[in-house]
Amino acid sequence: MKLPPSLIKSPEVKAKEKWFGYLIGPAGALLLNAVLATYLNVYYTDVLNLTPLWGGIFLTVFPIVSKVIDAITNVVMGQVIDRTKHKEGKARPWLFLSAFLVPITGILLFTVPEASDTVKAIWVMLSYNLFYSFAYTIFNMAHNLMVPLSTRDSTARGGLSVFNQIANIMMTGILVALVFPMVIMPMVGVDKSKWITLMCILSIIALPLTLLEYFFTKERVTEETTAVGEETKIKFGKQLKILFTDKYMILMYIYFFIYTVGMTMKNLGLVYFCNYVLGTYNDGTTQMLVSAIGGIPMGIGIFAVWPLAKKFGKRNVTMVGFILYAVGSLTCWLFPHDMVIVLIGQFIKNIGGLPCAYVFMALFADCLDHLEWKTDLRIDGAAMSIYNIIAVAMVGIMTGVFNWLLAQAGYIAPFTASSTADAAAQLSANGWTSQIALDAIKPAADGVMTVAVQQPDSVNGVISFAFVGLEVFTGIALVVILFFLNVEKDLPKKQAELKARHEAKNA
């Protein structure tokens, strides 16, 4: 298949590659994914009201089953990438394809028809898997391989890792964390048509930006191995054996597994925590304050983390960070209703999370270089497929666990009403209590009121544990794992030896 060529020709990483390929380009798909990570479950529980479907079983089981499918497609995609031979690289061609698939499937996620519960359930399952198990899997695999395949220069690769993460932080820490709760969510409420319009816009934005990432990236490592005729034709089972007999890769996967469990539950709990435990439903300020105070360190980290990582080592800085991470989470968990203490705890926690956020992919690339030095094989696709399997499987499993806990605790979804009298009648009929006085609820422009119900203590306890409690334990566990992950030792020597090997083969 003929594809347009990369606009990057330089053998070294230059500024335009960083800015367009790693900062601006990925922003569209990352924004869409960030919105989905925070609000898709809210759309299912609050807009489509699927929590009670089939006695709470549907929202518990369907995410887990879907992620099993997603895990399989990640394995397949990893093998496909490792076997792709194209002059534009082995990952970038799939980045080009994903630019068109991600927007189409992103729109389908929200255009659930008004039909029977069975039809809704089928649409949700199909659209969810078309997006996550197919379109986003292709994008995510290709996108995540851009840093490891960009260059062998550790300093340049670290810089690309930081730029890549800035794009993610811009989307999650500014737009999704600040603009959405303060401006967007109060406007859309639980109005399905407004949700569809919003998500169509975000999906379409992803197309040109992902193409920008394609045009402004370059796979120098792939070109290097292709130049000497190196090919990976070993079976997937042997690739797995290579990956899981290397102590650094094992530790890296355990580290990512634990981190993803905690982070996923935190992301799921964020909106609910701000809506019910700390503030009121879509009040426009609580989530904005929590995200802003927690997100400020991410901006500071752009300038601080990489110099510290170069001086003290990526692993060492990340270890110290996770100690702060656990302390900040514990502070919030002990005082979940106190705004000031929660904001202080979030600030401490996010200071601690900086190293992981900015240097993780560079540390992962170090492990891949070590593995190549050890085995003389480059199996990036297989390595990234395991990474993505952990990411997607934990999202599905933890979403199912979170929804099951909400259902068991007695979560009550908000409802819409045409007037105060109508709202009062629905509350009375169900024995519910409004979260705030009905006359204090501001109707939307079309006159529809969104009424949130005061949740039982059991629900608030589940939400608090999800958002701030679990990461106390995962933070401590990550410090222990990182203590043994000293892959940076002798890495420059190993990289020099790899370069010499390739030069010898070329000669």
Side-chain angles (χ1 to χ4, degrees):
M1 179 181 177
K2 188 175 181 179
L3 295 175
S6 172
L7 298 178
I8 300 298
K9 307 300 181 185
S10 170
E12 298 87 26
V13 176
K14 299 283 181 76
K16 67 178 181 180
E17 184 175 354
K18 291 181 180 180
W19 285 95
F20 292 112
Y22 291 86
L23 180 64
I24 300 173
L30 292 177
L31 170 60
L32 178 60
N33 185 58
V35 173
L36 295 178
T38 304
Y39 292 108
L40 182 59
N41 201 66
V42 176
Y43 183 73
Y44 289 157
T45 61
D46 293 6
V47 180
L48 300 183
N49 194 23
L50 297 178
T51 302
L53 184 60
W54 303 341
I57 296 298
F58 176 70
L59 283 187
T60 300
V61 174
F62 124 76
I64 298 174
V65 173
S66 296
K67 292 309 176 182
V68 171
I69 299 171
D70 201 353
I72 294 170
T73 59
N74 269 278
V75 172
V76 173
M77 195 62 216
Q79 293 301 287
V80 168
I81 287 177
D82 269 339
R83 286 163 171 74
T84 297
K85 308 298 177 186
H86 197 282
K87 66 178 182 178
E88 293 305 318
K90 60 183 182 180
R92 288 182 61 255
W94 300 102
L95 196 60
F96 183 85
L97 177 63
S98 72
F100 302 93
L101 295 176
V102 167
I104 294 170
T105 55
I107 292 170
L108 291 175
L109 278 171
F110 289 83
T111 51
V112 181
E114 291 297 334
S116 66
D117 286 344
T118 301
V119 172
K120 286 182 180 179
I122 292 172
W123 187 284
V124 166
M125 288 187 289
L126 287 176
S127 62
Y128 189 93
N129 280 285
L130 281 173
F131 181 83
Y132 281 109
S133 302
F134 180 57
Y136 199 76
T137 288
I138 295 174
F139 167 79
N140 205 35
M141 289 283 288
H143 165 72
N144 283 333
L145 280 171
M146 285 301 101
V147 171
L149 294 176
S150 61
T151 176
R152 287 196 192 276
D153 185 329
S154 294
T155 301
R157 193 163 60 192
L160 292 178
S161 178
V162 170
F163 265 73
N164 214 19
Q165 192 58 28
I166 291 172
N168 201 18
I169 298 303
M170 283 169 53
M171 298 304 105
T172 59
I174 298 176
L175 288 176
V176 177
L178 303 183
V179 177
F180 268 70
M182 189 167 56
V183 180
I184 306 298
M185 287 303 105
M187 288 174 57
V188 300
V190 291
D191 188 315
K192 183 181 175 183
S193 63
K194 293 176 182 176
W195 274 91
I196 292 173
T197 301
L198 170 65
M199 299 312 298
C200 283
I201 293 170
L202 294 180
S203 296
I204 293 169
I205 289 172
L207 196 159
L209 291 179
T210 306
L211 288 177
L212 198 66
E213 180 179 3
Y214 169 80
F215 282 111
F216 285 90
T217 50
K218 182 179 177 69
E219 294 184 30
R220 295 175 182 85
V221 174
T222 303
E223 292 174 0
E224 176 186 296
T225 55
T226 302
V228 296
E230 295 180 15
E231 294 183 356
T232 303
K233 293 185 177 180
I234 58 176
K235 294 181 179 180
F236 183 62
K238 187 175 180 182
Q239 291 178 338
L240 288 181
K241 183 178 179 181
I242 291 170
L243 288 170
F244 287 103
T245 53
D246 181 78
K247 67 175 182 179
Y248 292 132
M249 292 306 301
I250 293 172
L251 288 171
M252 201 70 196
Y253 287 137
I254 294 173
Y255 161 72
F256 184 60
F257 169 82
I258 294 172
Y259 176 75
T260 304
V261 167
M263 181 187 66
T264 302
M265 284 293 274
K266 176 201 70 178
N267 289 341
L268 289 165
L270 169 63
V271 177
Y272 298 89
F273 182 83
C274 294
N275 281 346
Y276 297 109
V277 179
L278 190 61
T280 55
Y281 198 83
N282 283 348
D283 57 30
T285 57
T286 303
Q287 189 181 335
M288 181 273 294
L289 287 172
V290 170
S291 301
I293 297 298
I296 286 173
M298 291 298 176
I300 300 171
I302 296 173
F303 307 100
V305 170
W306 191 244
L308 289 173
K310 285 198 293 184
K311 183 175 181 179
F312 299 106
K314 294 185 283 289
R315 180 201 67 158
N316 296 335
V317 172
T318 306
M319 280 178 63
V320 174
F322 275 120
I323 294 173
L324 294 175
Y325 197 81
V327 170
S329 297
L330 181 61
T331 302
C332 297
W333 195 22
L334 292 175
F335 304 95
H337 304 288
D338 191 309
M339 175 68 78
V340 174
I341 295 179
V342 167
L343 294 181
I344 292 171
Q346 286 295 295
F347 187 83
I348 295 170
K349 174 186 172 182
N350 282 277
I351 286 285
L354 281 172
C356 174
Y358 283 113
V359 305
F360 174 82
M361 195 49 66
L363 195 60
F364 187 79
D366 290 347
C367 291
L368 290 177
D369 279 357
H370 161 79
L371 192 64
E372 184 183 2
W373 169 83
K374 177 181 174 182
T375 65
D376 210 25
L377 292 170
R378 193 83 194 180
I379 49 175
D380 306 277
M384 189 55 66
S385 68
I386 302 302
Y387 167 92
N388 276 359
I389 285 171
I390 294 170
V392 301
M394 288 305 100
V395 168
I397 292 171
M398 301 318 292
T399 299
V401 169
F402 180 73
N403 286 329
W404 181 80
L405 290 172
L406 283 184
Q408 296 304 306
Y411 177 73
I412 307 167
F415 62 90
T416 57
S418 57
S419 65
T420 302
D422 180 27
Q426 291 192 55
L427 290 168
S428 177
N430 291 282
W432 297 335
T433 302
S434 178
Q435 192 182 49
I436 61 175
L438 294 178
D439 55 9
I441 299 175
K442 294 176 63 176
D446 54 7
V448 175
M449 299 172 58
T450 297
V451 183
V453 177
Q454 186 173 311
Q455 300 294 336
D457 290 341
S458 55
V459 172
N460 289 337
V462 166
I463 293 169
S464 295
F465 177 76
F467 182 60
V468 291
L470 181 58
E471 288 192 312
V472 175
F473 303 101
T474 59
I476 295 170
L478 288 167
V479 173
V480 176
I481 296 298
L482 284 164
F483 178 80
F484 299 98
L485 189 62
N486 59 337
V487 68
E488 294 165 279
K489 183 180 179 182
D490 298 328
L491 186 64
K493 181 180 177 181
K494 294 174 182 177
Q495 290 172 329
E497 187 175 327
L498 280 172
K499 184 178 180 180
R501 288 182 199 172
H502 293 304
E503 288 174 349
K505 289 176 183 177
N506 272 321

